[in-house]
Structures are given as C-alpha cells and as structure tokens.
Amino acid sequence: TGLDSGAFYYFRVRACNEHGKSNWGLVGTVIVGTKPGSPTTWSSTTTGIVGEDITLYWVHNCADGSVEQSAILEISFDGVTRTYEIENENKDQEEVTTSSYILDTTSLIDGSNIEWRVRTSGITEEYGDWSTTRKIEVFAPPTLEVLLTDSDGNSINTLKSFPLNIQGVS
C-alpha cells in the first residue's frame, strides 16, 4: 500500500529474528498498474483523396497514470488487413501524449474504404481493449474539364472575340 500506480518498484528482502539478520536476497521488481482502457481515436479526415496522406491519431487511456509503451494498429482496405506494432518514441516522458501514424494512400483506388482501430499498452505491457473502428472513404482526385464555346455552342480552340461561354464538367 502507499505506492504510486503506473510505476516500477525494485525491492529486496532479508529475514530478521532473535538469531540475527540474513543476507539480502536478490533484487526483485514489481509493476504497480492496470491494463489501459480503449484509446480515444480520430483521423485527419473521414474522406481522403488517392495519393494524399491521412494521419491516424490516438490517445492512450490509462487509469494508472502510465504513458503508452506501444500500440497495435490494425488497418483494413481492399479486403486485406495489416497489423503494425508501434513502439512509443516518447515512452520515457511523464505525461500522456497523442500518438499518430501516417497512412500512404497512393496504392488505393477510387472508392476504397479504410477501416482502422488501435489498442495500447502501458507500464504493465498488457494491451487494453481495441478502440472504436474508424472508417475513411478514399476517392480519386477531382478533375475538371473546361470547354470554351461561342453563343451558338460551337467549340472554340482560339479565343478571337467575346462573349464566350465556359462550361466545367467534373
């Protein structure tokens, strides 16, 4: 009792009685902490464009005050699920920080749907429950075709007079 949660403790013991004291035992360790809750998650967008990076964010939710040690990130798209184990580069800090992963979408096609979730471990190195599954729709980059026509609807290749009508078709 009286120990702070979310920390490592080192100890050793020896026996004491009316005949004296024994030698000290080997140093032992104990971790005082609990399994974290599901991380809080969000992304830089809910609809992305093929070729643009999407950033996935999460915050380690712990009841014991420990910082995230590592995360398991699961990303599914095009019928394939990939799992990444990510070590927290800031695990030596004393306060909880936001973690992120940059998702490259160059290999995706128009209409791809991404689903992702994450779970984290704290000082006990036990993973908590999965976060909510987040979904992101990915679309082809928008394009615009510009057609120049005269007032009769005839196509203009070289602008020689006014007025002209401009029509944009996405």
Side-chain angles (χ1 to χ4, degrees):
T1 63
L3 300 178
D4 290 334
S5 186
F8 276 99
Y9 288 93
Y10 301 89
F11 63 93
R12 60 186 186 160
V13 296
R14 69 179 179 178
C16 297
N17 63 21
E18 64 275 358
H19 299 290
K21 297 178 183 177
S22 71
N23 292 329
W24 284 103
L26 298 175
V27 174
T29 61
V30 66
I31 300 171
V32 178
T34 58
K35 179 175 88 167
S38 300
T40 303
T41 58
W42 69 97
S43 62
S44 58
T45 185
T46 56
T47 56
I49 296 176
V50 172
E52 292 184 0
D53 290 342
I54 297 173
T55 306
L56 312 177
Y57 298 98
W58 63 91
V59 174
H60 174 68
N61 287 326
C62 59
D64 63 11
S66 67
V67 297
E68 174 188 320
Q69 299 297 298
S70 60
I72 296 177
L73 175 63
E74 183 181 88
I75 303 172
S76 301
F77 55 87
D78 298 333
V80 177
T81 299
R82 293 178 177 88
T83 303
Y84 306 93
E85 185 162 355
I86 302 167
E87 289 293 320
N88 183 4
E89 295 173 0
N90 301 314
K91 63 183 171 186
D92 294 330
Q93 294 183 1
E94 292 184 14
E95 58 187 57
V96 174
T97 59
T98 301
S99 298
S100 63
Y101 178 84
I102 297 176
L103 179 62
D104 178 9
T105 64
T106 54
S107 65
L108 301 181
I109 59 170
D110 182 44
S112 291
N113 289 303
I114 300 168
E115 292 187 353
W116 70 280
R117 64 184 185 160
V118 66
R119 61 187 190 163
T120 60
S121 70
I123 193 76
T124 64
E125 297 184 359
E126 179 181 6
Y127 282 97
D129 295 332
W130 286 103
S131 68
T132 299
T133 300
R134 300 289 180 187
K135 297 180 182 183
I136 303 169
E137 295 179 76
V138 180
F139 299 100
T143 60
L144 181 65
E145 179 183 2
V146 177
L147 306 172
L148 295 176
T149 61
D150 61 19
S151 58
D152 295 326
N154 299 315
S155 181
I156 299 174
N157 294 324
T158 304
L159 185 58
K160 297 180 183 176
S161 64
F162 292 97
L164 63 111
N165 298 323
I166 299 176
Q167 178 184 9
V169 179
S170 62

